[in-house]
Every structure is written in C-alpha cells, then in structure tokens.
Amino acid sequence: MAAKAMTFEQAMKRLEEIVTRLESGDESLEGSLKLFEEGTALSSQCYKKLEKAEQKIRTLAGEKEDAE
C-alpha cells in the first residue's frame, strides 16, 4: 500500500512493524536502510496529518468561541 493511500492508523501500524524489525537486528544493512527510509516517510506523513487535525480543531474551537 502506498504511503499516500494509508490512513493515519495504517501508517502508525506500519511504523510499529518497522521499528520491531529494526530492533530485532535481523535485517541486513541494505534492508535496514530501506526500512528506515520507509519509516521516515511514514513519520512525516503522520506528522502532517496530525498538524492538519490540530489546525482543524483550533479552527473549530475558534468558531465556537466566536459563536458564544
């Protein structure tokens, strides 16, 4: 599944899998680098999604304050 098509939850689950594999020490150097690269991309994707969610919450909270 492409990183862009993943939900936040799917990306987090994949990140957990990557961390487990990297921590096991069973991967080759090349395999570890590929996993690290994938993990970095997924981490960035999750961070962006969290930023968008935070902005939406702030916007909604601001709208609520304006309505009161």
Side-chain angles (χ1 to χ4, degrees):
M1 182 177 291
K4 293 272 184 191
M6 285 186 174
T7 65
F8 177 82
E9 292 77 10
Q10 290 169 326
M12 287 299 295
K13 182 176 181 181
R14 179 63 183 145
L15 274 171
E16 290 173 10
E17 293 169 356
I18 288 170
V19 168
T20 299
R21 286 178 62 185
L22 288 172
E23 287 180 340
S24 75
D26 294 335
E27 294 293 326
S28 65
L29 178 60
E30 185 176 319
S32 293
L33 288 172
K34 286 182 181 182
L35 287 170
F36 184 80
E37 184 177 352
E38 180 185 357
T40 301
L42 288 169
S43 177
S44 177
Q45 175 190 344
C46 288
Y47 182 76
K48 288 176 186 175
K49 287 186 181 217
L50 286 173
E51 281 186 318
K52 285 182 182 180
E54 181 180 13
Q55 183 59 44
K56 187 170 186 174
I57 289 168
R58 288 180 186 209
T59 300
L60 293 171
E63 289 174 1
K64 183 178 178 189
E65 288 176 9
D66 291 343
E68 293 177 355

